[in-house]
Structure formats: structure tokens, C-alpha cells
Amino acid sequence: DDLERLADDIRRAETVVALTGAGISAPSGVPTFRGDDGVWDRFDEGQFAYGRFQRDPAGFWADRVDLQQELFGDDPDPNAAHEALAAMGHAGALEAICTQNTDGLHGVAADTVTAEAAESATATTTILELHGNAQRVRCQDCGSRRDSEPILERAAAGDLPPTCDCGGVFKPDVVLFGEQLPGAAIQRARSLARESDVFLAIGSSLRVQPAASLPQLAAETDATVGIVNLDSTPYDSLADVVYREDVTTVLPRLRELVAE
Ligand code: OAD
């Protein structure tokens, strides 16, 4: 079937690249932004924009505490889809994961696979966190990074906005609306997409640029493009295969087929 053909392409490919979005973490209990019961139906996107942070960092942080609780309050762990990608990476079948997620779960899954592996020499998959990582905060003055947990606790206790020892204001180490993506990361993601022989877009509505345009770059250079997403996306028509199925169904099967 289609999935066997995709697995064949992956086995033959020199460069396989995945782009992931909130849908891959949904089975871990992290709510998505759009689609059924999406976070942006319940929270106002504008409250989390860079302009708001600059104008009103105290108010921003008070709301941000609620958003982080909503997103990561259940202390999510990687699921079978993150694990399948980590295993493919470990087996040398996945060059890079470009993710729009800020939950850090691809990194956790990769560390787990590496730790459990008997042999020491393993392939490593590049993980590009295009929207940053919400498990960290960054001081806007001195640039130092910290774990977000104690900072969120301070903010929740009314220390608003939370500041660094140097006096600078902390910001979640994520890309806010209205803020530029880290230039080096998006450049790297673009060249990976262009280089790829197989490009997989997984669990993303593909509605937020510039990440959403990566499948198009891949298609322009004749990569096989596969999309796995419950809802349709604006790029479905350029994909070679589209699976409107759960990521935890498709990816473990794909991983098994690739390993055969
Ligand atoms: P979205 O919330 O826009 O899209 C998630 C997609 O995942 C939806 O289209 C769902 O159909 C699909 N989905 C949900 N559960 C799934 C499952 N179990 N299996 C397969 N598909 C599933 O998330 P993103 O595309 O990641 O930006 O959103 C992109 C960006 O918009 C986010 O990074 C965030 C947001 O505003 C910033 O914060 C800058």
C-alpha cells in the first residue's frame, strides 16, 4: 500500500526530513492551537504577542502562567509518534526534525532512545526547535537562559514580571507572535527541506509561516512529500501521500516498515 511505498522511499533516500506541529504532541495531552477545542478558541492570541510583552511584561507573564499550565500542566511525556521518529533517527533513517512545538518532547524521546541503546555509536538526528522551547526562559538583557519552572512559580506567586539577577526581564525562550524566527534555524530548515528526498509534515495545520512553507520547498525540489494530519492542510494537494489519521497509528507502522 501507500505506506509501504513511502517506507521504500525512505529506505532509498539519502535525506529524510520531518516537520512536526502540535498534533504530534496531542496524544501526550498537550492541546493543539487550532482544530477541535484548540487553545486559540479559549485564549486570545494577541495576549501572547511580542508587542504585548514589550508594552506590558507583567500582564503578559500573568497570562503566560495560565497558558503554560494549559499546555504543559499535565507534565507531558513523549508518545509513540515521538518515539517512532526518535527510533528512525537512531537507525539513521531521519536526518532532521524541524518542529514548531515548544514542549521539548522530541529531545526527550531522542535522549531516551540513545540511553536505552546497547551500542554506543548511533546516528543523531538534528532537532531544530523553530519556535523555541517553553521549558526555558531567557533574560532580555544578559541573554542567560534558565529552567522555566521556578520562574513560572515566581510569576504565579505575583513576582511580575520575573527578572534576572542582572535586573533584565525574563521572556519565555519561545518565538512570540510578531517576533522573528531565529534566522539561522529557519535558514537551516529551508536548506534541509530543499535537500530532502523525503519530507514528512506531521501533526501541523500548516497555517503558520514560515514553517508551513517547508513542504512546498521540498516539493519544488522533487522530494516525496507525505502529510500526516487529522484535518486537511493547505498543502495536501502538493503532497504525494496524505494520511488523515492519528500520528500514533501511522508513525509506529511507518517505522516498522522502514526497519524491515
Ligand atoms: P495547530 O494547532 O495549528 O494544528 C495541529 C494539527 O494537528 C491540527 O490540524 C489537527 O488536525 C492535527 N492533529 C491533532 N491531533 C492529532 C493526532 N493525534 N494525529 C494527527 N494529527 C492531529 O498546530 P501547529 O500547526 O503546530 O505558534 O501550529 C503552528 C503554530 O501556531 C504553533 O507553533 C504556535 C501556534 O500559534 C507559536 O506559538 C508561534
Side-chain angles (χ1 to χ4, degrees):
D1 64 355
D2 273 359
L3 204 61
E4 272 168 23
R5 243 174 298 147
L6 185 60
D8 264 349
D9 284 350
I10 290 175
R11 268 199 302 260
R12 274 198 291 268
E14 205 161 298
T15 308
V16 180
V17 175
L19 167 69
T20 66
I24 197 170
S25 295
S28 295
V30 182
T32 59
F33 297 98
R34 297 171 191 79
D36 269 358
D37 204 26
V39 167
W40 297 145
D41 289 343
R42 282 167 286 142
F43 285 77
D44 172 5
E45 267 180 73
Q47 314 243 272
F48 303 99
Y50 189 53
R52 165 97 192 282
F53 171 78
Q54 288 177 306
R55 260 191 331 271
D56 174 21
F60 169 92
W61 267 106
D63 290 333
R64 181 75 198 182
V65 169
D66 294 338
L67 180 66
Q68 295 243 161
Q69 176 62 29
E70 174 75 13
L71 290 172
F72 312 122
D74 290 340
D75 232 343
D77 291 318
N79 62 54
H82 296 104
E83 284 160 12
L85 290 185
M88 281 169 59
H90 186 77
L94 185 61
E95 174 87 13
I97 300 172
C98 308
T99 188
Q100 300 168 88
N101 299 343
T102 61
D103 54 36
L105 293 179
H106 286 299
V108 177
D111 290 347
T112 309
V113 168
T114 309
E116 284 171 357
E119 73 273 35
S120 54
T122 60
T124 47
T125 300
T126 301
I127 299 173
L128 288 176
E129 293 178 321
L130 300 174
H131 291 171
N133 191 321
Q135 313 308 313
R136 297 185 307 254
V137 297
R138 184 168 185 271
C139 172
Q140 293 305 94
D141 285 355
C142 73
S144 70
R145 290 184 161 89
R146 303 277 180 76
D147 257 7
S148 64
E149 204 171 294
I151 307 302
L152 284 161
E153 277 167 19
R154 275 169 51 188
D159 178 6
L160 294 168
T163 53
C164 177
D165 294 340
C166 82
V169 175
F170 282 123
K171 186 177 87 59
D173 198 9
V174 301
V175 177
L176 301 175
F177 285 105
E179 203 178 7
Q180 292 275 330
L181 260 65
I186 189 68
Q187 278 316 320
R188 183 86 200 282
R190 286 201 176 104
S191 35
L192 281 161
R194 283 196 200 94
E195 262 170 51
S196 66
D197 306 301
V198 177
F199 188 94
L200 305 172
I202 300 161
S204 175
S205 63
L206 299 178
R207 274 169 170 91
V208 175
Q209 297 297 348
S213 63
L214 296 172
Q216 177 139 30
L217 288 180
E220 280 165 11
T221 51
D222 280 338
T224 300
V225 175
I227 292 180
V228 186
N229 201 59
L230 287 180
D231 290 305
S232 67
T233 83
Y235 295 92
D236 287 359
S237 59
L238 68 73
D240 298 279
V241 274
V242 178
Y243 300 95
R244 297 238 168 98
E245 286 177 63
D246 194 297
V247 291
T248 59
T249 312
V250 179
L251 291 178
R253 267 174 49 213
L254 182 63
R255 174 216 166 174
E256 270 174 38
L257 290 169
V258 170
E260 268 174 14

